[in-house]
């Protein structure tokens, strides 16, 4: 390796969570351009840096990746808990039909702010409306993300969001053409729900994604009604139906995947499909067989399902996921370590990077993208631990995240967000909930 004389960020005498989920202490991290140039036990010689961070009391780890969220539902926080089914058709979809460009800008600003402050460095948005406005906000935020346009062409929708298959495809194409590869953003093609997508839209959307070499995502096997729909209409379960259309491959993301049969799991494994669970949201619908998915080599990650389902903290989701896995699978099989802490942390970091199509991210390793966060370890609920990796999962919350770096750029330093005007965004949010109008 060539000797490094200058770098953009030097983190001195710190601790890291390495690629094997072990803690390494007293290391120096040099970041140059968008990547980690070196991780060494001694300060690199003859080195100058534009930004020097004292790493004492900090634990650095890969940034978290929210594999499934909804920017368009950011203003629905607190509106769906304890509501009767179906909240998507009764509450969420009607709300999204009232979105405006200004509402989407506020939603994206709040979502970006919430993710940065919770240690999320990457995300996959499942799709909504006015996504161009969201993309512009996310570009400024510096987050790494993938966006989609909401894609439905059949069902009883409000006129404001009713589209034909060709109109949906045109909307997806415009979003892709303007923002794919711009800054840290990608554009994925999507299906909102199989019950609301014609066969034509499914096939043509998959063709578009393949032609443009991008990912293709869908809500899958989330509700019994969705499974029953494809069984009644096609005599196939949802995953089997998509396989019959030839659209499953390594670039397909299957969000939720709760009610997945053994045969469907074998198809997911055979086609190298990636899966995202959303623990808090999914608890009201069922428990996925994640141990089986992982044992079959299926890349499985975690998402929040958007702030309407409990916020955008993946720390919360990891704790809930561990508890649900233990209660459902661990107790049943007398296996208290059915879902070890290392596995869950890997789902939220390395596997999350794969969900974003980033193979050189999700690990603190030389030559990998500098997408990383620091945890302030000098706190009573974190110090004096027998196992720091377990304590990461059990005790860390979003407020413990001190710094955030994405693509080699500092987005947050000592809890201060550097890329967004936090005070203004919070003021706008307060005014919106007072008046129902967005003040810009």
């Amino acid at each position: 390796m060539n000797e490094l004389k200058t770098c953009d960020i030097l983190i001195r005498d710190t601790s890291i969570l390495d690629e094997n989920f072990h803690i390494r202490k007293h290391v120096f991290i040099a970041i140059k351009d968008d990547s980690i140039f070196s991780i060494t036990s001694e300060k690199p010689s003859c080195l100058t840096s534009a930004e020097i961070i004292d790493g004492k009391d900090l634990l650095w780890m890969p940034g978290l990746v929210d594999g499934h969220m909804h920017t368009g539902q950011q203003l629905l926080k607190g509106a769906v808990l304890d509501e009767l089914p179906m909240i998507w058709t009764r509450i969420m979809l009607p709300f999204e039909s009232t979105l405006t460009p200004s509402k989407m800008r506020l939603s994206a600003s709040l979502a970006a702010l919430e993710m940065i402050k919770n240690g999320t460095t990457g995300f996959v948005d499942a799709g909504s409306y006015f996504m161009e406005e969201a993309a512009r906000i996310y570009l400024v935020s510096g987050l790494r993300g993938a966006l989609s346009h909401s894609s439905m062409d059949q069902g009883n929708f409000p006129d404001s969001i009713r589209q034909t298959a060709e109109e949906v495809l045109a909307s997806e194409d415009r979003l892709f053409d303007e923002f794919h590869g711009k800054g840290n953003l990608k554009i994925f093609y999507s299906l909102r729900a199989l019950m609301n997508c014609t066969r034509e839209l499914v096939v043509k959307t998959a063709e578009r994604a393949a032609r443009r070499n991008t990912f293709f995502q869908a809500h899958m096997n989330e509700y019994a009604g969705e499974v029953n729909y494809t069984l009644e209409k096609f005599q196939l379960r949802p995953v089997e139906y998509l396989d019959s259309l030839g659209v499953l491959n390594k670039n397909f993301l299957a969000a939720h995947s709760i009610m997945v049969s053994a045969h469907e799991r074998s198809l997911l494994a055979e086609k190298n499909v990636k899966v995202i669970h959303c623990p808090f949201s999914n608890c009201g619908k069922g428990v996925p067989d994640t141990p089986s998915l992982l044992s079959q080599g299926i890349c499985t990650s975690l998402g929040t399902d958007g702030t309407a389902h409990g916020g955008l903290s993946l720390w919360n989701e990891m704790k809930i996921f561990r508890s649900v896995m233990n209660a459902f699978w661990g107790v049943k099989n007398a296996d208290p370590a059915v879902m070890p802490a290392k596995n869950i942390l890997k789902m939220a970091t390395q596997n999350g990077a794969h969900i974003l199509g980033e193979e050189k991210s999700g690990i603190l390793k030389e030559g990998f993208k500098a997408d990383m966060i620091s945890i302030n370890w000098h706190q009573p609920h974190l110090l004096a631990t027998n196992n720091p990796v377990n304590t990461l999962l059990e005790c860390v919350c979003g407020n413990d995240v001190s710094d955030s770096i994405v693509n080699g750029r500092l987005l947050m330093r000592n809890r201060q967000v550097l890329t967004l005007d936090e005070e203004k965004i919070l003021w706008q949010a307060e005014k919106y909930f007072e008046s129902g109008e967005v003040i810009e």
Side-chain angles (χ1 to χ4, degrees):
M1 180 181 293
N2 295 328
E3 183 179 359
L4 182 66
K5 296 182 179 179
T6 64
C7 67
D8 300 311
I9 301 173
L10 175 64
I11 305 168
R12 301 185 306 187
D13 192 16
T14 196
S15 299
I16 67 167
L17 181 70
D18 70 15
E19 61 184 300
N20 297 311
F21 294 91
H22 297 147
I23 304 296
R24 286 179 57 188
K25 296 183 178 181
H26 304 298
V27 299
F28 292 78
I29 307 171
I31 297 172
K32 178 73 172 177
D33 298 324
D34 62 358
S35 301
I36 299 171
F37 187 89
S38 67
I39 301 176
T40 61
S41 298
E42 297 180 0
K43 179 182 177 180
S45 60
C46 304
L47 180 66
T48 59
S49 174
E51 179 88 30
I52 297 177
I53 297 175
D54 183 358
K56 183 177 180 292
D57 298 327
L58 297 178
L59 172 65
W60 290 85
M61 62 177 287
L64 307 179
V65 178
D66 190 335
H68 184 81
M69 54 82 70
H70 291 266
T71 303
Q73 296 171 7
Q74 187 71 19
L75 300 178
L76 276 175
K77 185 172 288 184
V80 302
L81 190 67
D82 298 334
E83 289 288 340
L84 297 174
M86 293 274 294
I87 60 172
W88 187 66
T89 53
R90 290 194 306 105
I91 299 173
M92 292 177 165
L93 197 58
F95 174 81
E96 286 193 50
S97 73
T98 69
L99 283 173
T100 62
S102 60
K103 281 186 183 179
M104 181 52 85
R105 287 192 290 271
L106 177 57
S107 295
S109 297
L110 284 166
L113 194 60
E114 186 174 353
M115 285 191 281
I116 292 172
K117 301 209 78 169
N118 277 288
T120 297
T121 57
F123 67 92
V124 178
D125 187 298
S128 190
Y129 304 95
F130 302 105
M131 293 305 296
E132 292 83 359
E133 301 297 332
R136 294 184 183 100
I137 297 296
Y138 285 128
L139 278 174
V140 173
S141 77
L143 286 166
R144 190 181 301 284
L147 305 177
S148 295
H149 176 79
S150 187
S151 305
M152 304 181 290
D153 67 338
Q154 68 178 10
N156 185 24
F157 307 135
D159 290 341
S160 61
I161 58 174
R162 189 182 305 280
Q163 289 184 300
T164 65
E166 289 306 316
E167 287 171 336
V168 170
L169 294 167
S171 297
E172 292 187 302
D173 288 344
R174 283 194 299 271
L175 186 64
F176 185 96
D177 292 340
E178 184 172 359
F179 291 104
H180 187 73
K182 194 171 184 178
N184 296 329
L185 298 185
K186 297 179 180 181
I187 303 302
F188 292 173
Y189 282 75
S190 74
L191 302 174
R192 195 65 182 265
L194 296 187
M195 292 183 290
N196 301 117
C197 297
T198 61
R199 182 183 185 280
E200 176 191 10
L201 182 60
V202 174
V203 172
K204 288 187 176 180
T205 302
E207 289 173 350
R208 287 288 214 290
R211 190 183 314 148
R212 296 180 174 215
N213 193 30
T214 191
F215 281 27
F216 175 31
Q217 61 175 321
H219 294 70
M220 296 294 298
N221 299 62
E222 183 179 6
Y223 299 98
E226 174 196 353
V227 177
N228 291 337
Y229 169 79
T230 59
L231 283 171
E232 291 172 6
K233 191 169 180 64
F234 309 108
Q235 293 73 58
L236 297 168
R237 295 176 64 87
V239 175
E240 295 168 338
Y241 168 58
L242 291 189
D243 182 58
S244 74
L245 299 180
V247 305
L248 297 182
N249 56 47
K250 64 182 178 64
N251 290 338
F252 187 83
L253 307 182
H256 301 297
S257 298
I258 305 168
M259 303 169 187
V260 179
S261 69
H263 181 241
E264 286 178 297
R265 288 196 298 274
S266 69
L267 288 174
L268 294 174
E270 177 187 339
K271 305 297 183 179
N272 293 313
V273 170
K274 299 173 176 64
V275 167
I276 307 98
H277 297 319
C278 302
F280 186 77
S281 171
N282 292 165
C283 278
K285 304 152 192 169
V287 178
D289 190 353
T290 315
S292 292
L293 292 172
L294 293 176
S295 70
Q296 290 178 259
I298 297 168
C299 179
T300 307
S301 71
L302 298 174
T304 62
D305 206 17
T307 200
H309 288 288
L312 299 179
S313 171
L314 285 167
W315 300 104
N316 290 344
E317 298 294 338
M318 286 190 281
K319 291 176 180 61
I320 293 166
F321 184 64
R322 168 71 186 222
S323 297
V324 170
M325 288 292 106
N326 276 3
F328 194 85
W329 298 111
V331 171
K332 181 186 297 185
N333 300 310
D335 182 6
V338 68
M339 195 59 59
K342 292 179 181 180
N343 290 14
I344 298 175
L345 288 166
K346 182 179 179 181
M347 290 171 68
T349 56
Q350 187 177 345
N351 288 7
H354 295 329
I355 296 294
L356 260 177
E358 296 290 336
E359 301 303 317
K360 297 282 283 184
S361 184
I363 298 174
L364 296 195
K365 185 177 180 180
E366 293 177 356
F368 275 56
K369 291 287 180 65
D371 291 2
M372 48 199 286
I373 59 174
S374 73
I375 306 300
N376 176 10
W377 207 260
H378 195 70
Q379 301 186 76
H381 65 292
L382 300 180
L383 281 175
T385 173
N386 293 287
N387 187 322
V389 176
N390 286 354
T391 297
L392 268 175
L393 184 73
E394 291 175 309
C395 301
V396 168
C397 65
N399 287 337
D400 299 322
V401 179
S402 178
D403 308 289
S404 174
I405 298 173
V406 177
N407 214 44
R409 177 191 179 193
L410 272 164
L411 306 190
M412 182 170 69
R413 181 78 181 96
N414 290 328
R415 295 294 295 167
Q416 180 182 355
V417 176
L418 305 176
T419 56
L420 298 168
D421 188 338
E422 181 173 359
E423 185 176 351
K424 178 182 178 181
I425 293 168
L426 295 180
W427 176 82
Q428 288 176 313
E430 288 179 347
K431 294 301 179 184
Y432 170 78
F433 281 102
E434 288 174 1
S435 67
E437 300 293 330
V438 179
I439 302 173
E440 296 185 290

